[in-house]
Amino acid sequence: MTPTLPTLLVLDADPPPRLGRLTGRARIEHTDAAGLAGRLPTADVLLVWDFSSRAVRDAWPGAGPRPRWVHTASAGVDHLMCPELAVSDTVVTNARGIFDQPIAEYVAALVLAVAKDLPRTLELQRERTWGHRETRRVAGTRACVIGSGPIGRAIARTLKALDVTTALVGRVPRTGIHGPGDLDRLISRADWVISAAPLTEQTYGMFDTRRFGVMQPSAVFVNVGRGGLVDEDALAEALRRRWIAGAALDVFAAEPLAGDSPLWGLPGLIVSPHMSGDTVGWRDELGSQFVELYERWAAGRPLRNVVDKKRGYVPGH
């Protein structure tokens, strides 16, 4: 008798993942958000390829069996985690390791662009204006990176290569990493405050009016973590009142950012469309990572990148 193949359900996004290596090793089915709830009871594995969708949060609490394993093609898991999934026996994994260095490079690019006033240089070029001015030196400045996971550590390493003195803040203090109790002291001295933390109940809205008020007037705030980490109204006020010198946001509370959002026109704010980790070939890397994880799962070997569903991230960093 031919053994029954596991059913792999893919919550699709365009372009779909390349899963040809799993031919004959899984019964691959595809669904959109509307069809997810009806398909979950028949799936052994769920691949959340549409990592911007919140469909899993809505569909998971329904009746019937649930997949034994859920993998999301993203570093964050807040878009899919719900109480029912958190308390279930289902294993959740993420795309840890894919985005670390690309995001670190993007942050370094933002730091250099702001310090060297590149946005204004491009504006002057379009205006055909010769506008000589002085720019900031990056070497010798201070950065505080909030989030001590692989992405935060990669950012710290990359900034240190630019001779930026960098402090890393994590959930728990340990060797080389500060705890939350040191955060206000560190951001009050930082030239660059960089948010790369996961979004959890403890971190939601952590950058608020008080935190922006703690920062020095010359500080620049960068968020490549999750949009929900930032009180966007408080950031807007801080920029308008010049409590801080500038900001760069790659993630937002609601995406895509609406065309009529006041954030577009704020002084000193760089807006980018959630692209800091998206380098050429990134989708293929995500697909290959999932296939390798599937091979481990099918062979009964321990999975990598297992998320602590209560904490909301992969522990051990």
Side-chain angles (χ1 to χ4, degrees):
M1 180 180 295
T2 303
T4 302
L5 294 176
T7 297
L8 166 59
L9 181 62
V10 181
L11 178 59
D12 266 336
D14 188 38
R18 297 183 181 182
L19 301 174
R21 283 167 52 189
L22 297 183
T23 301
R25 304 162 70 183
R27 186 171 65 243
I28 302 174
E29 300 179 354
H30 298 264
T31 186
D32 58 12
L36 180 62
R39 306 290 289 277
L40 278 178
T42 64
D44 297 293
V45 179
L46 173 63
L47 168 58
V48 184
W49 189 249
D50 185 358
F51 50 78
S52 65
S53 172
R54 297 174 66 87
V56 175
R57 293 175 62 99
D58 298 331
W60 196 270
R66 289 295 179 262
R68 291 174 282 162
W69 168 35
V70 173
H71 177 78
T72 179
S74 62
V77 298
D78 51 281
H79 61 291
L80 58 84
M81 201 59 63
C82 61
E84 292 81 2
L85 175 55
V87 301
S88 72
D89 294 330
T90 297
V91 176
V92 175
T93 57
N94 72 352
R96 182 187 188 197
I98 300 295
F99 303 106
D100 307 354
Q101 193 56 36
I103 292 178
E105 293 172 4
Y106 198 89
V107 169
L110 289 171
V111 167
L112 289 168
V114 171
K116 302 308 177 185
D117 201 21
L118 293 184
R120 181 58 179 156
T121 295
L122 295 174
E123 290 177 4
L124 292 172
Q125 180 179 349
R126 285 191 292 269
E127 297 169 3
R128 298 174 179 259
T129 300
W130 185 270
H132 180 271
R133 60 227 186 268
E134 296 176 345
T135 62
R136 297 175 64 181
R137 184 192 292 264
V138 171
T141 59
R142 297 173 180 266
C144 178
V145 180
I146 299 90
S148 61
I151 292 173
R153 295 200 303 271
I155 292 170
R157 287 194 305 269
T158 303
L159 292 180
K160 286 177 182 177
L162 296 173
D163 201 20
V164 176
T165 301
T166 306
L168 198 57
V169 178
R171 187 182 68 88
V172 177
R174 51 202 185 276
T175 303
I177 298 175
H178 297 268
D182 292 332
L183 179 57
D184 287 354
R185 176 178 61 85
L186 291 170
I187 65 174
S188 71
R189 302 167 59 195
D191 300 288
W192 316 99
V193 178
I194 299 159
S195 165
L199 183 61
T200 67
E201 291 182 1
Q202 291 71 36
T203 62
Y204 184 85
M206 66 182 296
F207 294 101
D208 54 13
T209 298
R210 189 186 68 79
R211 283 261 158 75
F212 289 121
V214 167
M215 298 176 196
Q216 56 185 346
S218 60
V220 174
F221 175 74
V222 178
N223 187 21
V224 290
R226 306 297 284 178
L229 298 169
V230 178
D231 180 334
E232 293 175 351
D233 290 337
L235 174 60
E237 181 182 21
L239 288 170
R240 291 192 187 104
R241 297 193 177 194
R242 305 199 183 281
W243 293 349
I244 60 176
L249 301 181
D250 187 56
V251 288
F252 300 86
E255 297 181 2
L257 188 63
D260 60 355
S261 170
L263 293 176
W264 290 106
L266 284 177
L269 177 62
I270 296 175
V271 171
S272 59
H274 204 151
M275 59 181 283
S276 60
D278 301 350
T279 52
V280 175
W282 65 287
R283 289 184 177 86
D284 289 341
E285 291 184 50
L286 288 171
S288 295
Q289 181 188 57
F290 173 74
V291 169
E292 291 170 6
L293 286 172
Y294 184 91
E295 290 171 345
R296 295 181 67 89
W297 179 81
R301 298 165 61 196
L303 286 169
R304 299 190 180 99
N305 293 6
V306 175
V307 173
D308 183 319
K309 294 184 291 183
K310 293 183 179 179
R311 295 182 183 178
Y313 55 86
V314 178
H317 55 263

